[in-house]
Amino acid sequence: MWSIVGFLLAMATVATVFDSLWGKYIWIDHSNYPGGPLRYYAASQTSCLSFLGITGGTMSNILTGSSCAHISLIGYSSGRGINVSNTTVDSCINAT
């Protein structure tokens, strides 16, 4: 369980760091790009920073959704696993 939490924390950190660094490049470092920041955004969408930011966010979203689905299935299975309260299941459903 803790390895999943650690991986989720790592992917969320990767997404935050690379997206904020890409935003810094767009709005601060390359604000004088020909065509402005939006042109730089369009030109740099295939950059490594963009890819890592989007991938980290997507992986953390997929992992969160699958973890909530797994907890829900364990909670609703009869006779095995742990008992999960309806509040936990509802919060997982509302988070996705």
Side-chain angles (χ1 to χ4, degrees), residues 42-93:
S44 66
Q45 283 183 341
T46 58
S47 70
C48 187
L49 291 174
S50 170
F51 176 75
L52 289 173
I54 292 171
T55 303
T58 303
M59 289 296 294
S60 64
N61 192 9
I62 290 171
L63 185 62
T64 302
S66 61
S67 296
C68 284
H70 179 69
I71 289 172
S72 298
L73 290 174
I74 287 175
Y76 286 126
S77 66
S78 58
R80 52 182 275 255
I82 58 173
N83 292 328
V84 178
S85 67
N86 287 335
T87 306
T88 305
V89 173
D90 290 339
S91 65
C92 286
I93 291 171

Side-chain angles (χ1 to χ4, degrees), residues 3-38:
S3 61
I4 293 173
V5 172
F7 185 71
L8 178 60
L9 181 64
M11 288 296 105
T13 303
V14 164
T16 302
V17 166
F18 285 108
D19 282 341
S20 62
L21 187 60
W22 189 34
K24 177 183 172 284
Y25 284 162
I26 291 171
W27 298 107
I28 297 171
D29 293 344
H30 298 283
S31 61
N32 293 331
Y33 189 80
L38 294 178

